[in-house]
Amino acid sequence: MTFDFVTNIEQCALLVKEYVPLGLVYYSHIPTAIIALFMGILVILRGKGLLLNKIFFTLCLTFSVAMLINIILWTSYDSRMYMFFWSMTALTEVLIFILSLYFFYTFIYGKDVSFRLKLFWFLLLLPIIFSLGTTHNLMYFDTDACVPVEGSVLSTYILGIKIFLFLWLFAFSLIQWRRAQDAERRKIRIVALGLNLFLLMFLSSNAFSSYIVDEGLVSPTVGYSYELYGLFGMPVLIGFISYAIAKFNIMNVRLFGVQILVWTLIFLIGSQFFYIQTRINMFLTGMSLVLIIIAGFMLIRSMKRNIQRKEELQIMADELANANERLKQLDRVKSEFISIASHQLRTPLTAIKGFVSLILEGSYGEFSPSVRNALNKVYLSNDRLIQLVEDLLNVSRIESGKFEYTFALHSLEEIVESVFDMLRIRAKDADLEFTLHMPSEKIPKIMLDEAKVREVFWNLIDNAIKYTKEGFVRVSVFENSGKAYVTIEDSGIGILSEDIPNLFQKFSRGKDTNRLHAGGTGLGLYVGKKIILAHSGLITFESEGENKGSKFTVMIPLDFKPEKEKNEKE
Ligand code: ADP
């Protein structure tokens, strides 16, 4: 493939100088390229090995290369070089778009994109790569207009791809921004804004100059000079990215990096005073310098403040963690104390129970009815104490993780029935209608810890009797879709709505005096819930309110398999 080369384009260089001040060419290229390169290097040095940093570095590098190519184009006199570098611009520019998108994807997901996506991006580049050095890319050099004439198919393709990639980034950032919340959202907003503005400035200046050149509105040299303004998109991007770095510490670049960046910006812009001549440029550069100094120092200050705040937060978090640890330790000590105390209490209480029953049975001789009456009271009070100690021991066992279960197949109906029978006298004494409803068909046996499940039903039925002054206590056992249910209904004092949230908490007892008069510890439901949960079941309750009775329901799945069993089968 041959180009229609011209060997001497000095007159073109003169033409360029006439329309486009070299000052603007240098000003728009050199500092931006250096800043981009500097930022890229800084980011990659500070966050070694991080993919996001690598992509950002590559983006900055590609941008700097594009800048270099542009400078060569604006200042070159050699047509071969001219044609070669002009043909490269398409590649670098589309690459910048792809890298921006790649950067944003990695930023959002925190990991590399899929191979398929990368392949797709690469495929987009293929036509451009294959067209390099062919007339599809550049057709010939127009010596009158002093510009190479681009192949129309490829240039349309490139513009289309750029618009497509820009819209992709725009839509993707919009979706991600809307989906995110709080700090994440602010972070996405800043990075997305930077990237979108960067590409938009690039794209619009590109499209605008191509359009006015193609339409013949201005001479190509003048038209392409508008592209220079698009390059200011890079400092805009860097500004936003620096802000995101400072505020959210993206890419792991800390204060130090930002300080260096600000100083470099000041230095770079300041250095322009050495080669600008026109008054208007002097003024513009001066303004930029003042702006960058103000913005830079505000940035550093806000970052310092941010870091300070983070440190303070860290200290507070550490203190909280310490306090939490101390509380946990205290809780452990308390549980241990309860455990030891309860064990010590249990022995004498059991001895009292044994001896009192022996006396009541007459093993120690005859005694008057009034003594029997008193002894009966001693016996009952002692029983309550034993129950209390047992509850306390259970709580301390649960809390220290020593609450162990021994599962075996048992009939739920038999357990409920035996508890029911044992409490029958209590219900009769309280003058309550006390009924038990059994299913017509037997419920299959379930894996249960018999003693513990018995304790649960004891407590629930005992509560129902305890908290019901008159009326009924109704116990029902039934099966429904693979689950066994036991309900304990009463017509008692009911449960106040304010007591509901704490019902299954340890040591929680109903607030009104009615409840407090009835003996109890507020541990029964807490322990009961743990036991039923260990059987993969649930305890639920319903109460329409004060004095409207209560209904507790225990559910245990028929096919419940304890952990050990499961392991053995696996
Ligand atoms: P307690 O030893 O106080 O009975 P529980 O843990 O068994 O402890 O019960 C906690 C609280 O729940 C009780 O103090 C009582 O306020 C309420 N409660 C439990 N069962 C009933 C019921 N059947 N009727 C009314 N209130 C009940």
Side-chain angles (χ1 to χ4, degrees):
M1 201 72 258
T2 48
F3 286 129
D4 180 9
F5 282 136
V6 280
T7 48
N8 187 342
I9 51 168
E10 273 103 348
Q11 89 275 15
C12 290
L14 292 177
L15 186 77
V16 169
K17 268 196 195 133
E18 208 173 289
Y19 287 107
V20 185
L22 267 183
L24 181 63
V25 172
Y26 288 129
Y27 182 67
S28 57
H29 287 79
I30 299 176
T32 27
I34 294 180
I35 294 169
L37 206 59
F38 180 82
M39 184 79 176
I41 292 172
L42 189 94
V43 158
I44 201 156
L45 285 184
R46 294 250 110 201
K48 277 191 201 107
L50 295 176
L51 179 66
L52 194 63
N53 299 38
K54 286 185 194 159
I55 300 171
F56 189 72
F57 171 72
T58 319
L59 175 63
C60 293
L61 189 68
T62 315
F63 181 83
S64 308
V65 171
M67 291 300 92
L68 191 69
I69 292 177
N70 273 351
I71 294 182
I72 294 173
L73 288 177
W74 283 111
T75 55
S76 166
Y77 294 88
D78 184 328
S79 63
R80 278 165 216 271
M81 255 169 60
Y82 209 84
M83 293 298 266
F84 172 73
F85 283 115
W86 192 293
S87 68
M88 295 299 281
T89 51
L91 190 63
T92 47
E93 281 172 11
V94 175
L95 207 56
I96 286 173
F97 277 67
I98 291 179
L99 284 168
S100 304
L101 201 55
Y102 187 17
F103 176 80
F104 196 62
Y105 262 83
T106 317
F107 167 72
I108 292 288
Y109 293 122
K111 60 172 195 239
D112 203 355
V113 299
S114 68
F115 175 72
R116 261 200 267 159
L117 192 55
K118 277 191 233 174
L119 188 69
F120 177 67
W121 286 335
F122 180 69
L123 287 179
L124 291 182
L125 279 177
L126 264 194
I128 306 175
I129 295 173
F130 280 125
S131 77
L132 284 178
T134 72
T135 48
H136 294 293
N137 193 316
L138 296 181
M139 293 198 289
Y140 58 91
F141 192 91
D142 181 343
T143 35
D144 293 333
C146 278
V147 283
V149 177
E150 294 175 342
S152 66
V153 178
L154 193 78
S155 60
T156 315
Y157 172 75
I158 290 168
L159 187 65
I161 288 291
K162 282 191 205 161
I163 295 177
F164 167 68
L165 289 171
F166 169 71
L167 289 179
W168 182 347
L169 175 78
F170 182 70
F172 182 64
S173 34
L174 207 65
I175 294 170
Q176 294 304 324
W177 175 72
R178 288 182 65 172
R179 204 176 279 166
Q181 271 166 3
D182 307 330
E184 197 58 30
R185 193 174 191 161
R186 270 175 279 148
K187 201 159 99 178
I188 291 178
R189 186 165 54 204
I190 289 164
V191 175
L193 216 62
L195 281 170
N196 277 286
L197 279 176
F198 168 55
L199 291 194
L200 186 68
M201 280 171 88
F202 221 26
L203 183 66
S204 54
S205 67
N206 250 216
F208 178 69
S209 56
S210 295
Y211 172 75
I212 54 174
V213 170
D214 289 349
E215 293 291 305
L217 299 176
V218 287
S219 79
T221 319
V222 174
Y224 287 126
S225 72
Y226 287 113
E227 286 197 356
L228 297 179
Y229 296 99
L231 306 180
F232 292 112
M234 192 64 186
V236 171
L237 171 66
I238 291 189
F240 277 97
I241 295 286
S242 314
Y243 185 72
I245 288 175
K247 193 135 183 132
F248 304 108
N249 190 24
I250 69 162
M251 299 196 282
N252 276 6
V253 183
R254 283 219 156 260
L255 181 65
F256 172 69
V258 176
Q259 274 168 328
I260 292 194
L261 180 78
V262 169
W263 280 111
T264 317
L265 278 175
I266 294 173
F267 164 75
L268 279 174
I269 296 176
S271 65
Q272 311 246 318
F273 282 110
F274 292 106
Y275 62 82
I276 44 178
Q277 276 114 32
T278 62
R279 212 164 264 230
I280 179 82
N281 272 357
M282 196 81 95
F283 174 72
L284 283 177
T285 311
M287 283 291 283
S288 314
L289 194 61
V290 171
L291 282 179
I292 204 76
I293 289 176
I294 296 174
F297 282 101
M298 270 167 62
L299 187 70
I300 292 176
R301 210 181 55 183
S302 98
M303 192 165 177
K304 271 189 185 153
R305 225 183 280 150
N306 235 352
I307 291 178
Q308 202 180 346
R309 223 173 286 150
K310 268 189 201 143
E311 277 167 2
E312 280 167 14
L313 266 179
Q314 193 53 46
I315 293 172
M316 271 155 75
D318 288 349
E319 276 173 7
L320 258 178
N322 275 342
N324 200 18
E325 201 38 56
R326 270 203 306 277
L327 274 178
K328 273 192 196 150
Q329 206 175 340
L330 272 178
D331 205 45
R332 271 198 295 276
V333 172
K334 181 208 74 191
S335 296
E336 243 165 65
F337 167 75
I338 292 180
S339 168
I340 293 168
S342 326
H343 271 293
Q344 302 296 338
L345 278 171
R346 199 158 61 160
T347 328
L349 287 177
T350 330
I352 294 173
K353 183 177 170 122
F355 282 112
V356 175
S357 1
L358 284 176
I359 298 171
L360 281 171
E361 279 164 17
S363 306
Y364 293 95
E366 287 297 311
F367 47 83
S368 67
S370 58
V371 173
R372 172 174 291 276
N373 199 11
L375 273 178
N376 260 331
K377 282 186 180 146
V378 171
Y379 186 84
L380 283 178
S381 300
N382 187 57
D383 249 5
R384 277 202 0 228
L385 253 179
I386 289 176
Q387 186 56 46
L388 167 68
V389 169
E390 200 45 50
D391 281 349
L392 285 174
L393 263 175
N394 279 340
V395 171
S396 75
R397 280 191 204 118
I398 287 174
E399 287 185 350
S400 56
K402 288 183 199 138
F403 204 51
E404 278 159 15
Y405 294 86
T406 6
F407 294 104
L409 280 173
H410 286 283
S411 153
L412 192 66
E413 288 136 298
E414 277 170 23
I415 299 176
V416 175
E417 193 164 12
S418 80
V419 174
F420 181 85
D421 284 341
M422 286 164 83
L423 285 166
R424 200 191 288 274
I425 304 171
R426 289 268 301 280
K428 198 172 165 235
D429 286 348
D431 219 7
L432 296 173
E433 185 195 325
F434 194 54
T435 49
L436 174 66
H437 302 264
M438 283 297 184
S440 46
E441 261 179 50
K442 264 196 170 293
I443 298 178
K445 288 190 172 177
I446 312 176
M447 288 300 287
L448 300 170
D449 182 319
E450 198 221 347
K452 295 204 167 66
V453 170
R454 179 182 292 278
E455 222 173 282
V456 177
F457 291 122
W458 178 284
N459 180 55
L460 288 176
I461 303 174
D462 183 50
N463 273 352
I465 300 172
K466 206 160 65 175
Y467 298 114
T468 305
K469 292 211 185 73
E470 54 183 17
F472 65 86
V473 169
R474 196 179 297 143
V475 182
S476 320
V477 185
F478 60 95
E479 182 200 330
N480 191 5
S481 38
K483 290 167 182 159
Y485 292 88
V486 179
T487 59
I488 298 105
E489 270 175 280
D490 63 55
S491 57
I493 59 175
I495 289 163
L496 302 178
S497 54
E498 63 193 77
D499 289 336
I500 294 174
N502 297 324
L503 205 60
F504 290 95
Q505 305 288 326
K506 60 183 164 177
F507 298 111
S508 108
R509 305 209 58 209
K511 299 243 167 359
D512 63 8
T513 44
N514 267 340
R515 283 159 222 272
L516 297 175
H517 279 315
T521 53
L523 292 173
L525 289 181
Y526 169 76
V527 175
K529 186 178 172 180
K530 297 268 174 196
I531 294 175
I532 296 302
L533 275 179
H535 289 78
S536 298
L538 268 181
I539 302 190
T540 51
F541 84 98
E542 295 154 49
S543 170
E544 300 207 332
E546 204 172 358
N547 294 323
K548 301 236 171 84
S550 326
K551 177 178 174 185
F552 281 81
T553 307
V554 176
M555 181 281 288
I556 299 178
L558 291 178
D559 61 356
F560 163 66
K561 287 191 186 62
E563 283 300 316
K564 260 194 212 148
E565 282 274 305
K566 271 190 213 157
N567 292 343
E568 273 166 19
K569 284 202 175 144
E570 272 162 10

